[in-house]
Amino acid sequence: KTLVVSGDGRFYNIHATKTIIKMAAANGVAKLIIGLNALMSTPCVSAIVRDKKAYGAIILTASHNPGGPTEDFGIKYNASNGGPASEALTDIIFKKTETISQYKIAAAEPDVDFSRLGNYQFGSLAIEIIDGPKEYVKLMKSIFDFDALKKFVARQHFSFVYDSMHGVAGPFAREVFLNELGASENALINSVPKEDFGGGHPDPNLAYAEELVERLGLAKDKQPEHIPDFGAAADGDADRNMILGRKFFVTPSDSLAVIVANAQHIPYFQKSGVKGVARSMPTSCAVDRVASKLGINCYEVPTGWKFFGNLMDADRLSVCGEESFGTGSDHIREKDGMWAVLAWLSILEYKNRNSPSDSLVSVQDIVTEHWKTYGRNYYSRYDYEQVQSEGANNMMGHLLSLIQDFDSGKLTKLDDKELALADEFSYTDPVDNSVSAHQGVRFIFKDGSRIVYRLSGTGSVGATIRIYLEKYT
């Protein structure tokens, strides 16, 4: 069997990769495919698994969490479809951890130069070092019109900035934007991967992507002399994205909706069409409005990309997204930050084909026009981190009691707003009929507004309570 192994470059990445090589050799794995410098974005790993028909992948990442000697490290397993392991598989793995009493590992150290492309042998184990960014570009060229994008990027009155946040996106951004689209070096910031992400928190949002936010004119106390027309950021493993315009923030929910509404301007969807769309339950219903108007099926799934993958494998889903800055399509089985950026550049390119050279249909223009067509979902999320588990569980228990009151007819309003539904979200997969229960508490009002509460397990300390507020106009 062949496995793909790479990471986002955080502290311990190389050491862990060497350990995996030793364990793979001792356990009879036939081949490992590893990225140059043991780096590959999570979307690229998914693409390589699918292209090379690998058995699966081991991804060394803690996603958007900080890195460094005292910070987070993570190991993620992806299956043969290129997507995150299913709950059934992770349950099996967990059960193994309860009974395992020994493990096999080679005593010798592998003689592999991760900085050089080529083939190596470690006992019976074959190792291939590949150029991840170049492989990824091949896939992107099958989706987007790079010639049109290159012409648009060269436009005199257009400028953009891409922030890799010192994560693995850096080499991919250089290959895509500089080598392929001809952008200048000034278009890239924080593009050198660092073990500690430069001391920052590689989460592409308004709080942590401070430099990009300032450059796009969104910082309250600082206004730069020149503000680019377009800005984007990636997280540590480059599967998440944030989209900004000049002094304008595009929420992830609106970004998903705008991409779906304009999918016909992307060559990939011109060929295949949009089979269906999906969002995670806490994500705003903006994409639902688009799907309804276009006559496309729209699925509401629990948080977690694996739920999208099942629908994609069944050929029911083309585009999907999460409010936590994740967007993607069925070209792979992971969210893909660079794909989302190229989708936005494609939309900008199309909208400006007939505009005068000295003017620009902006990001804000596109989103504003979208709101005029489909309405606007005002949306906000509040995170309460490192909360004591007992208090968090008590709060969720109280919310569940309110659901019981709604079911019995005792509760019909919250703050004078009439309730249409109060429940604990449960999802039955339409493909395999598997059930995922206890996915968050929802209060849905008759005017389309929503309040959602979730306990999240993505942090490393304590409980995290997430509250989502939404109003449609």
Side-chain angles (χ1 to χ4, degrees):
K1 302 292 186 181
T2 296
L3 290 173
V4 181
V5 179
S6 276
D8 61 14
R10 67 181 57 236
F11 182 81
Y12 209 68
N13 188 69
I14 291 292
H15 182 89
T17 302
K18 290 180 178 178
T19 300
I20 291 168
I21 290 174
K22 293 166 67 175
M23 296 186 76
N27 285 275
V29 175
K31 182 178 181 180
L32 295 181
I33 299 174
I34 302 173
L36 196 63
N37 298 311
L39 297 175
M40 258 198 279
S41 70
T42 292
C44 181
V45 170
S46 180
I48 297 299
V49 169
R50 295 173 64 79
D51 182 56
K52 306 296 184 184
K53 296 179 171 54
Y55 183 76
I58 299 172
I59 310 175
L60 307 174
T61 179
S63 186
H64 54 293
N65 291 342
T70 62
E71 298 292 352
D72 293 343
F73 184 82
I75 300 175
K76 174 180 173 182
Y77 183 74
N78 278 29
S80 58
N81 71 342
S86 66
E87 288 188 329
L89 179 54
T90 55
D91 286 345
I92 292 170
I93 293 172
F94 177 72
K95 287 179 181 177
K96 288 281 188 182
T97 68
E98 295 181 311
T99 60
I100 190 170
S101 59
Q102 62 182 12
Y103 62 89
K104 298 177 182 178
I105 186 167
E109 291 294 325
D111 184 17
V112 178
D113 185 351
F114 295 112
S115 67
R116 294 181 62 183
L117 300 174
N119 295 289
Y120 300 83
Q121 199 72 32
F122 181 58
S124 62
L125 175 66
I127 300 170
E128 182 182 5
I129 307 298
I130 67 169
D131 190 327
K134 287 190 181 298
E135 294 291 330
Y136 180 79
V137 162
K138 292 177 188 176
L139 177 59
M140 291 300 103
K141 283 186 170 182
S142 72
I143 299 172
F144 302 103
D145 185 344
F146 268 53
D147 290 335
L149 292 178
K150 185 172 184 178
K151 184 178 178 181
F152 177 68
V153 167
R155 187 182 173 117
Q156 184 178 357
H157 294 280
F158 175 75
S159 60
F160 76 96
V161 175
Y162 183 84
D163 186 356
S164 300
M165 301 190 80
H166 289 303
V168 75
F172 290 83
R174 185 166 295 276
E175 188 66 29
V176 171
F177 298 125
L178 272 57
N179 297 349
E180 293 291 337
L181 299 184
S184 70
E185 193 82 35
N186 294 334
L188 304 184
I189 60 174
N190 303 317
S191 62
V192 178
K194 295 184 178 181
E195 290 188 338
D196 65 349
F197 303 107
H201 189 145
D203 194 352
N205 58 41
L206 295 174
Y208 293 120
E210 295 179 52
E211 183 176 354
L212 181 70
V213 168
E214 182 180 327
R215 289 198 182 205
L216 269 292
L218 287 163
K220 293 180 180 180
D221 55 344
K222 297 178 182 178
Q223 285 299 309
E225 190 173 324
H226 170 72
I227 301 176
D229 301 292
F230 179 70
D235 70 334
D237 64 332
D239 62 349
R240 301 181 189 225
N241 73 95
M242 177 172 67
I243 302 298
L244 302 177
R246 181 193 293 255
K247 295 186 176 182
F248 190 81
F249 168 60
V250 183
T251 70
S253 300
D254 279 338
S255 179
L256 171 63
V258 169
I259 290 173
V260 172
N262 292 277
Q264 70 272 20
H265 307 316
I266 298 172
Y268 180 82
F269 297 114
Q270 291 169 0
K271 298 173 186 175
S272 66
V274 177
K275 303 158 193 169
V277 299
R279 61 171 174 82
S280 64
M281 182 272 287
T283 301
S284 97
C285 301
V287 74
D288 303 46
R289 316 286 177 186
V290 178
S292 177
K293 195 157 190 171
L294 299 182
I296 301 169
N297 287 334
C298 183
Y299 301 91
E300 183 181 40
V301 307
T303 297
W305 211 259
K306 56 194 170 190
F307 297 104
F308 296 130
N310 224 24
L311 294 167
M312 289 177 180
D313 288 344
D315 214 28
R316 297 189 182 197
L317 176 61
S318 296
V319 186
C320 52
E322 297 179 332
E323 50 74 34
S324 53
F325 296 87
T327 326
S329 86
D330 59 353
H331 65 290
I332 57 172
R333 295 297 183 267
E334 286 279 6
K335 46 187 171 279
D336 190 345
M338 183 67 73
W339 174 90
V341 175
L342 290 171
W344 264 95
L345 284 173
S346 297
I347 295 167
L348 282 164
E349 185 275 327
Y350 176 83
K351 297 290 186 182
N352 282 283
R353 282 184 186 175
N354 299 316
S355 64
S357 60
D358 60 347
S359 66
L360 187 78
V361 177
S362 69
V363 171
Q364 183 172 355
D365 292 336
I366 292 170
V367 176
T368 302
E369 188 61 33
H370 179 91
W371 290 336
K372 289 178 181 177
T373 303
Y374 298 99
R376 181 175 181 181
N377 290 71
Y378 289 88
Y379 182 86
S380 189
R381 168 180 134 183
Y382 296 87
D383 292 357
Y384 299 86
E385 299 176 333
Q386 299 183 21
V387 176
Q388 288 187 357
S389 296
E390 183 181 355
N393 290 329
N394 287 341
M395 187 204 78
M396 295 302 290
H398 171 68
L399 295 173
L400 292 174
S401 71
L402 293 181
I403 292 174
Q404 292 177 346
D405 289 345
F406 174 81
D407 291 339
S408 67
K410 289 170 59 179
L411 181 68
T412 59
K413 294 181 179 181
L414 283 179
D415 196 25
D416 293 328
K417 292 177 70 69
E418 290 193 28
L419 282 165
L421 177 68
D423 72 354
E424 187 176 24
F425 182 60
S426 179
Y427 175 69
T428 301
D429 193 302
V431 178
D432 60 17
N433 292 317
S434 60
V435 177
S436 299
H438 313 298
Q439 296 296 317
V441 171
R442 303 185 298 177
F443 295 98
I444 302 175
F445 300 91
K446 290 184 177 180
D447 63 0
S449 302
R450 297 192 309 162
I451 304 176
V452 175
Y453 297 84
R454 283 185 65 244
L455 279 181
S456 173
T458 58
S460 56
V461 179
T464 298
I465 299 171
R466 304 195 196 281
I467 302 176
Y468 310 81
L469 305 174
E470 178 177 9
K471 182 178 181 180
Y472 176 71
T473 59

